[in-house]
Amino acid sequence: NAGVTQTPKFRVLKTGQSMTLLCAQDMNHEYMYWYRQDPGMGLRLIHYSVGEGTTAKGEVPDGYNVSRLKKQNFLLGLESAAPSQTSVYFCASTLSGAPGANVLTFGAGSRLTVL
Amino acid sequence: AQSVAQPEDQVNVAEGNPLTVKCTYSVSGNPYLFWYVQYPNRGLQFLLKYITGDNLVKGSYGFEAEFNKSQTSFHLKKPSALVSDSALYFCAVRDMRNQAGTALIFGKGTTLSVSS
């Protein structure tokens, strides 16, 4: 059982380049999230999805776009990368929004460096 | 505003001693509280949660947490620390704003270092 898989694990970009991070989960979870982790700042929510075909903005959405065309996949895109987007990105998922159901399952992370 | 505070960047304890990692929160309504642990170069792993009921919650790896409504705290504890407990610990609270779905708001994290 793979859980939540993120690809790629590492990537180096130049300023202005674009890229997509892929998150795949095999647990039939409805809700999926993208967070970024920066030193001393904890995890901050970028975008999230409450089901196939839906997306919504989180705390720090600027510079990112997302898509959830299939229930099992949640893509995070950077159209024009900036050094401020250097971070570790985590995808997470959970089964539903029922009270007490917020046990998020996290991927291993994707480390992105923008030069 | 909804928030989670972890007042200590780092906690140092000797192996075999009890440990406490502090967390305070600010939310509207009843809080749903969580602790996660992150080992180096890994994703976050769930430790325990408080939804309702007993104020003392037991979780994985011998950890427990005490919910204190009057002090708006949810401190993580373990009676006897192990070197293998050394990691980064995050406290989190469910975001109760409708537009955020079921997302969690995380604290900044506390690094626990257990020395042998």
Side-chain angles (χ1 to χ4, degrees), chain B residues 48-109:
Chain B
L48 51 80
K49 66 181 179 182
Y50 172 83
I51 305 300
T52 187
D54 196 345
N55 289 342
L56 184 64
V57 178
K58 295 188 182 297
S60 306
Y61 313 121
F63 284 93
E64 58 190 26
E66 186 171 10
F67 171 65
N68 187 317
K69 188 173 184 177
S70 63
Q71 296 186 4
T72 62
S73 67
F74 189 54
H75 300 330
L76 182 69
K77 300 181 180 183
K78 188 173 183 181
S80 179
L82 300 173
V83 172
S84 58
D85 292 330
S86 298
L88 182 58
Y89 290 80
F90 289 99
C91 182
V93 65
R94 175 173 174 168
D95 190 333
M96 303 304 286
R97 295 167 293 184
N98 288 334
Q99 65 268 29
T102 61
L104 297 183
I105 299 171
F106 286 86
K108 294 182 178 182

Side-chain angles (χ1 to χ4, degrees), chain A residues 33 35 37 48 100 102 104, chain B residues 36 38 49 99 102 104 108:
Chain A
Y33 311 84
Y35 285 90
Q37 182 182 23
Y48 65 99
N102 288 93
L104 302 186
Chain B
Y36 284 81
Q38 184 182 31
K49 66 181 179 182
Q99 65 268 29
T102 61
L104 297 183
K108 294 182 178 182

Side-chain angles (χ1 to χ4, degrees), chain A residues 43-92:
Chain A
L43 279 77
R44 293 180 292 168
L45 183 65
I46 305 171
H47 286 281
Y48 65 99
S49 168
V50 299
E52 181 179 320
T54 75
T55 63
K57 295 180 179 180
E59 179 186 356
V60 288
D62 294 343
Y64 304 95
N65 56 76
V66 287
S67 64
R68 183 105 181 262
L69 299 180
K70 294 182 179 180
K71 185 177 182 178
Q72 62 268 33
N73 296 337
F74 194 30
L75 279 64
L76 178 71
L78 286 72
E79 292 184 346
S80 179
S84 61
Q85 294 177 304
T86 294
S87 187
V88 181
Y89 293 84
F90 286 99
C91 178

